[in-house]
Amino acid sequence: MERLKDTNDAKEWQEAVKSLLVGDIRERATAKMEESSDFLQTVHASIDLFKNNPDLIPGTKNFDRKLADQFAGMMEPYEVRVDGKLQGYSIPVQPIIEKLRAQLKAAAPPPAAPKTPAAAPATPPSPEPPQAGIPSKAGTSTEKEDFSTLFGTIGLPNLQI
């Protein structure tokens, strides 16, 4: 038990406790980082996989389905899964992707020459004329507008504008 005599004594005690707590927190954080280093490496490798290979990202215009399917089938034994979800791979995969990409490029047939149309019509058919519209008419009511229902909702049914 320590008895604090004045505010300076309290400040010194707070600083001492603060430095002890900061040191303890740093030690614990370092230990947790070392425990998680393998997991973090796998996550970073997965991020790099998609940054370096945009043709493996589904839904993009450069997505290569054949490359993705071949890669996924080949790498299945090396998958690292957490709670059933694919987290990454236990080996470096970039060289394998590059080799698969080169193999698919070599096996792909050369692009066919564009065909010229045999008998193209001389003039394109004329488009249909636009549909006739409905003529607009300005409001011509001579009746007095009645807002009694609207004003009745706020308790003033006899108010006139």
Side-chain angles (χ1 to χ4, degrees), residues 93-116:
V93 295
Q94 189 62 42
I96 297 168
I97 293 170
E98 290 170 6
K99 184 162 181 136
L100 282 173
R101 191 177 285 126
Q103 287 175 352
L104 287 173
K105 209 175 259 187
K115 295 180 181 179
T116 57

Side-chain angles (χ1 to χ4, degrees), residues 18-120:
K18 182 179 174 182
S19 67
L20 289 173
L21 289 174
V22 167
D24 186 43
I25 290 170
R26 282 195 180 129
E27 286 177 27
R28 289 182 186 193
T30 303
K32 290 288 183 185
M33 287 292 288
E34 288 172 1
E35 286 177 24
S36 303
S37 67
D38 290 340
F39 175 75
L40 290 174
Q41 281 180 325
T42 303
V43 170
H44 285 288
S46 296
I47 292 168
D48 289 340
L49 170 72
F50 290 110
K51 281 172 54 178
N52 296 334
N53 302 291
D55 55 347
L56 290 179
I57 302 173
T60 60
K61 68 177 183 174
N62 296 331
F63 180 61
D64 186 347
R65 179 72 181 210
K66 286 183 181 180
L67 176 64
D69 288 344
Q70 230 177 355
F71 172 72
M74 183 180 284
M75 299 312 300
E76 193 172 354
Y78 305 103
E79 291 177 350
V80 174
R81 292 192 173 266
V82 176
D83 296 328
K85 294 184 178 181
L86 180 62
Q87 200 74 40
Y89 299 96
S90 61
I91 62 171
V93 295
Q94 189 62 42
I96 297 168
I97 293 170
E98 290 170 6
K99 184 162 181 136
L100 282 173
R101 191 177 285 126
Q103 287 175 352
L104 287 173
K105 209 175 259 187
K115 295 180 181 179
T116 57

Side-chain angles (χ1 to χ4, degrees), residues 5-25:
K5 298 172 186 141
D6 57 11
T7 57
N8 287 336
D9 198 17
K11 284 183 182 179
E12 288 177 16
W13 182 81
Q14 285 177 335
E15 291 297 321
V17 169
K18 182 179 174 182
S19 67
L20 289 173
L21 289 174
V22 167
D24 186 43
I25 290 170

Side-chain angles (χ1 to χ4, degrees), residues 86-154:
L86 180 62
Q87 200 74 40
Y89 299 96
S90 61
I91 62 171
V93 295
Q94 189 62 42
I96 297 168
I97 293 170
E98 290 170 6
K99 184 162 181 136
L100 282 173
R101 191 177 285 126
Q103 287 175 352
L104 287 173
K105 209 175 259 187
K115 295 180 181 179
T116 57
T123 58
S126 62
E128 292 183 29
Q131 180 178 353
I134 301 172
S136 76
K137 295 179 183 176
T140 58
S141 175
T142 57
E143 295 178 19
K144 184 177 178 183
E145 293 183 14
D146 181 25
F147 293 102
S148 62
T149 306
L150 174 66
F151 292 129
T153 62
I154 59 171

